Amino acid sequence: MKNKKEIYILGVGHFTEVIIDLAESCGYHVIGLYHFDDSRNEEVVLNVPIISSYKQLLDTDIKGCSFAVSIGDNILRNTYANKIREKGGITPNLIHPKAIISKYADISTDGVHVNANAFIHTKAKIESDCIISPNATVSHHSIVKKGSIISIGAIVGAYSIIGEYTLLGMNATTINKKINIGNNTVVGINSAIIKDIPNNSIIAGVPSKHINKTK
């Protein structure tokens, strides 16, 4: 169970299949899955069995075991990753071999997932439990704070800051330098961000406009 190339996954949904694929591309053998729902025990996803529930997992000695968290909700993903680490579990980075990452980038060692063809540029900083999707770009001297998702094709412009638990939608772009997007914010697909965005916002459009607040 404690082989360094074995990994377990928390969360069972469509995105779990993506994480299984990414983990395997990184050389891991996915041993099993954990779900909220005990009634799904022994179901199989991409040939990987659901072992048990989160509750049973967190009542188990997991010290030294590796886990990936595939929960889509940014705050919950970070919360459960922290629970695992507090119990001595490991949440290794999963970085696809076809991702391009500058040797001068600063990437947390806790639960960062970087997919194929993503580009992380010089002096970019990626905090814990972030997901950088395929073909996304994090430009030089920018920061993506913990628990955030940069979706497929999205571009974080130079010197920009993406707040905690924020979703930058597919093909969204920070147009100007030094854009600051607040915490717990959702940026819609294809949006063009030209000015700072406050915390807890839902924005979309070209240029982007405020639509609503997140809960």
Side-chain angles (χ1 to χ4, degrees):
M1 186 174 183
K2 295 185 179 180
N3 187 306
K4 67 178 181 179
K5 297 305 290 184
E6 294 180 348
I7 196 167
Y8 298 83
I9 296 177
L10 258 71
V12 181
H14 296 303
F15 193 62
T16 303
E17 298 173 338
V18 175
I19 300 302
I20 291 172
D21 191 2
L22 176 60
E24 291 176 345
S25 295
C26 295
Y28 284 92
H29 175 46
V30 183
I31 299 298
L33 313 174
Y34 290 87
H35 200 305
F36 280 115
D37 184 359
D38 272 323
S39 70
R40 295 191 60 183
N41 292 356
E42 300 183 5
E43 287 185 27
V44 175
V45 179
L46 293 185
N47 299 315
V48 181
I50 299 175
I51 296 173
S52 186
S53 68
Y54 292 10
K55 184 178 185 302
Q56 183 173 335
L57 170 66
L58 294 175
D59 287 338
T60 303
D61 179 9
I62 60 173
K63 187 174 182 180
C65 297
S66 293
F67 295 86
V69 182
S70 68
I71 300 171
D73 182 287
N74 287 337
I75 293 176
L76 280 180
R77 186 175 65 258
N78 180 248
T79 296
Y80 275 94
N82 282 333
K83 288 179 182 290
I84 288 169
R85 291 189 285 260
E86 287 167 3
K87 289 185 63 66
I90 301 166
T91 54
N93 289 352
L94 299 178
I95 298 178
H96 196 283
K98 291 187 178 180
I100 301 171
I101 300 177
S102 168
K103 66 181 180 180
Y104 300 110
D106 179 6
I107 299 179
S108 168
T109 57
D110 289 327
V112 174
H113 298 170
V114 183
N115 288 270
N117 301 315
F119 179 35
I120 300 176
H121 205 182
T122 312
K123 290 286 187 175
K125 181 177 181 179
I126 312 294
E127 295 186 355
S128 61
D129 306 311
C130 286
I131 297 173
I132 312 299
S133 301
N135 298 308
T137 297
V138 181
S139 298
H140 63 90
H141 298 88
S142 57
I143 300 172
V144 181
K145 293 191 174 181
K146 68 179 180 180
S148 290
I149 296 177
I150 309 302
S151 298
I152 294 172
I155 299 174
V156 179
Y159 304 99
S160 295
I161 299 175
I162 308 299
E164 297 175 359
Y165 315 121
T166 285
L167 170 65
L168 192 62
M170 288 187 292
N171 297 313
T173 304
T174 60
I175 299 297
N176 295 334
K177 289 183 178 180
K178 300 183 180 180
I179 294 290
N180 191 338
I181 298 178
N183 300 334
N184 194 35
T185 288
V186 176
V187 179
I189 294 172
N190 296 318
S191 295
I193 304 101
I194 61 173
K195 61 182 180 180
D196 290 353
I197 307 297
N199 295 339
N200 306 309
S201 298
I202 299 174
I203 66 166
V206 181
S208 61
K209 296 180 180 179
H210 184 268
I211 296 175
N212 208 337
K213 289 186 176 181
T214 54
K215 294 181 180 179

